[in-house]
Amino acid sequence: MKTFINMLRDDSGASAAEYALILAIIGSVIAIAAIGLANAVGNAMNNAAKCIGSTTSTAFNANCVVGP
């Protein structure tokens, strides 16, 4: 019984598991941020392509700012 209690108190392997959990959480946050950034950049590129590609006056709206 004493050996079992000592085994429960031994936390030498816990730090490796904690580091793995922290790494998994940080990796998930980075992946979610990368997906969000990719969507934002893609939308910006699509808006710029629409502004550049269109020669009609309807292209110059709030999304197509000309000048400073």
Side-chain angles (χ1 to χ4, degrees):
M1 188 67 172
K2 210 173 217 187
T3 305
F4 181 70
I5 292 173
N6 287 336
M7 185 178 68
L8 289 178
R9 289 185 184 165
D10 182 25
D11 58 354
S12 61
S15 52
E18 291 167 357
Y19 287 135
L21 181 62
I22 291 170
L23 185 64
I25 291 171
I26 291 173
S28 299
V29 169
I30 290 172
I32 291 169
I35 291 170
L37 182 63
N39 289 336
V41 169
N43 289 337
M45 292 294 179
N46 287 335
N47 288 339
K50 287 177 188 175
C51 290
I52 292 169
S54 179
T55 58
T56 63
S57 62
T58 59
F60 296 104
N61 58 21
N63 292 331
C64 300
V65 178
V66 177

